Amino acid sequence: STLCGYSITQPGGAVITREVGEARKEFGPQQFTGELQWYAERGRLGFILPDNFEGLPQEVQDKSTAAAQRRANKTQQEAFEGLTFRTRDMADPNTKWVVGMQVKFSPYVDSGSAGAYNVMPA
Protein backbone atom coordinates (compact mmCIF):
# COMPACT_ATOMS: atom_id res chain seq x y z
CA SER A 1 0.00 0.00 0.00
CA THR A 2 1.05 3.61 -0.50
CA LEU A 3 0.69 6.44 1.97
CA CYS A 4 0.53 10.05 0.90
CA GLY A 5 0.64 13.09 3.10
CA TYR A 6 0.48 16.84 2.95
CA SER A 7 2.19 19.28 5.30
CA ILE A 8 3.65 16.60 7.57
CA THR A 9 5.53 17.94 10.58
CA GLN A 10 8.19 16.76 12.99
CA PRO A 11 7.71 16.81 16.76
CA GLY A 12 7.65 20.48 17.67
CA GLY A 13 5.91 21.49 14.45
CA ALA A 14 8.80 21.86 11.94
CA VAL A 15 7.66 20.87 8.43
CA ILE A 16 9.24 17.74 6.94
CA THR A 17 10.26 18.76 3.43
CA ARG A 18 11.05 16.29 0.68
CA GLU A 19 14.75 17.20 1.04
CA VAL A 20 14.68 16.35 4.76
CA GLY A 21 12.74 13.13 4.18
CA GLU A 22 15.15 11.99 1.48
CA ALA A 23 18.27 13.20 3.34
CA ARG A 24 19.28 15.10 0.20
CA LYS A 25 22.80 16.56 0.06
CA GLU A 26 23.58 18.85 -2.89
CA PHE A 27 27.05 19.34 -4.38
CA GLY A 28 26.76 22.74 -6.01
CA PRO A 29 27.22 25.22 -7.46
CA GLN A 30 29.85 23.41 -9.57
CA GLN A 31 28.35 22.16 -12.84
CA PHE A 32 29.24 19.00 -14.74
CA THR A 33 28.29 17.87 -18.24
CA GLY A 34 26.76 14.71 -19.60
CA GLU A 35 24.44 13.15 -22.15
CA LEU A 36 20.71 12.65 -21.71
CA GLN A 37 20.38 8.86 -21.93
CA TRP A 38 16.58 8.76 -21.65
CA TYR A 39 13.67 10.94 -20.63
CA ALA A 40 10.10 9.87 -19.83
CA GLU A 41 7.81 12.79 -20.65
CA ARG A 42 4.84 11.21 -18.89
CA GLY A 43 6.69 10.58 -15.64
CA ARG A 44 8.90 13.67 -16.03
CA LEU A 45 11.96 11.61 -15.11
CA GLY A 46 15.32 11.50 -16.90
CA PHE A 47 18.69 9.79 -16.74
CA ILE A 48 22.07 11.40 -17.44
CA LEU A 49 25.36 9.67 -18.25
CA PRO A 50 28.07 12.06 -16.98
CA ASP A 51 30.90 12.85 -19.42
CA ASN A 52 33.46 12.36 -16.65
CA PHE A 53 32.01 10.03 -14.01
CA GLU A 54 35.34 9.89 -12.14
CA GLY A 55 35.31 13.70 -11.89
CA LEU A 56 32.13 13.68 -9.78
CA PRO A 57 32.44 13.91 -5.98
CA GLN A 58 33.35 10.50 -4.51
CA GLU A 59 30.13 10.27 -2.52
CA VAL A 60 28.12 10.76 -5.73
CA GLN A 61 30.17 8.09 -7.52
CA ASP A 62 29.66 5.62 -4.66
CA LYS A 63 25.87 6.13 -4.49
CA SER A 64 25.50 5.95 -8.28
CA THR A 65 27.56 2.75 -8.48
CA ALA A 66 25.53 1.12 -5.68
CA ALA A 67 22.23 2.11 -7.37
CA ALA A 68 23.45 0.75 -10.73
CA GLN A 69 24.35 -2.54 -9.07
CA ARG A 70 20.89 -2.77 -7.45
CA ARG A 71 19.26 -2.13 -10.84
CA ALA A 72 21.46 -4.77 -12.50
CA ASN A 73 20.62 -7.33 -9.83
CA LYS A 74 16.90 -6.57 -10.12
CA THR A 75 16.66 -6.60 -13.92
CA GLN A 76 19.45 -9.07 -14.73
CA GLN A 77 20.62 -6.54 -17.33
CA GLU A 78 23.58 -4.21 -17.52
CA ALA A 79 22.95 -1.00 -15.59
CA PHE A 80 24.86 2.22 -16.11
CA GLU A 81 26.34 4.56 -13.53
CA GLY A 82 24.45 7.75 -14.05
CA LEU A 83 22.17 10.27 -12.42
CA THR A 84 18.40 10.62 -12.44
CA PHE A 85 16.51 13.92 -12.40
CA ARG A 86 12.88 14.94 -11.98
CA THR A 87 10.82 17.97 -12.89
CA ARG A 88 11.83 19.85 -9.75
CA ASP A 89 15.49 19.28 -10.65
CA MET A 90 15.20 21.06 -14.01
CA ALA A 91 16.48 24.61 -14.33
CA ASP A 92 13.50 25.25 -16.65
CA PRO A 93 10.63 22.73 -16.51
CA ASN A 94 9.52 23.84 -20.00
CA THR A 95 12.73 22.56 -21.63
CA LYS A 96 12.20 20.18 -24.55
CA TRP A 97 14.39 17.17 -23.69
CA VAL A 98 15.87 15.14 -26.54
CA VAL A 99 17.69 11.84 -25.99
CA GLY A 100 21.38 12.29 -26.79
CA MET A 101 21.46 16.01 -26.04
CA GLN A 102 24.32 17.42 -23.95
CA VAL A 103 23.28 18.77 -20.55
CA LYS A 104 24.80 20.61 -17.60
CA PHE A 105 23.93 19.72 -14.01
CA SER A 106 24.99 19.76 -10.37
CA PRO A 107 24.97 16.40 -8.54
CA TYR A 108 23.30 15.37 -5.28
CA VAL A 109 22.98 12.26 -3.14
CA ASP A 110 20.02 11.19 -1.04
CA SER A 111 19.07 8.25 1.12
CA GLY A 112 18.76 5.92 -1.86
CA SER A 113 20.86 7.06 -4.78
CA ALA A 114 22.55 9.91 -6.62
CA GLY A 115 20.89 12.41 -8.90
CA ALA A 116 21.23 15.69 -10.76
CA TYR A 117 19.64 19.07 -10.13
CA ASN A 118 19.75 22.43 -11.89
CA VAL A 119 19.67 20.36 -15.11
CA MET A 120 19.77 22.38 -18.34
CA PRO A 121 20.86 22.02 -21.96
CA ALA A 122 24.63 22.53 -22.34
Side-chain angles (χ1 to χ4, degrees), residues 7-19:
S7 193
I8 301 171
T9 61
Q10 302 175 43
V15 175
I16 299 175
T17 62
R18 189 172 194 159
E19 286 76 13

Side-chain angles (χ1 to χ4, degrees), residues 61-73 79-80 82 112-114:
Q61 292 179 50
D62 293 346
K63 285 273 191 164
S64 178
T65 299
Q69 186 60 54
R70 286 193 305 275
R71 285 191 303 276
N73 291 343
F80 299 97
S113 187

Side-chain angles (χ1 to χ4, degrees), residues 6-108:
Y6 178 78
S7 193
I8 301 171
T9 61
Q10 302 175 43
V15 175
I16 299 175
T17 62
R18 189 172 194 159
E19 286 76 13
V20 169
E22 293 177 348
R24 184 166 167 151
K25 177 181 174 186
E26 296 180 345
F27 295 86
Q30 184 179 2
Q31 291 244 284
F32 296 87
T33 58
E35 180 182 318
L36 182 63
Q37 185 70 25
W38 58 262
Y39 180 71
E41 183 70 39
R42 184 172 181 188
R44 309 280 294 180
L45 178 72
F47 189 80
I48 298 168
L49 287 178
D51 289 335
N52 179 12
F53 184 78
E54 292 78 21
L56 296 173
Q58 189 63 51
E59 193 173 351
V60 174
Q61 292 179 50
D62 293 346
K63 285 273 191 164
S64 178
T65 299
Q69 186 60 54
R70 286 193 305 275
R71 285 191 303 276
N73 291 343
K74 186 175 183 178
T75 63
Q76 302 299 311
Q77 296 178 358
E78 182 178 9
F80 299 97
E81 296 168 323
L83 307 171
T84 57
F85 68 96
R86 299 173 284 209
T87 302
R88 69 187 182 105
D89 297 315
M90 301 172 190
D92 178 358
N94 296 313
T95 299
K96 177 66 178 163
W97 301 102
V98 178
V99 171
M101 74 188 298
Q102 286 295 115
V103 297
K104 296 190 301 187
F105 63 90
S106 294
Y108 73 84

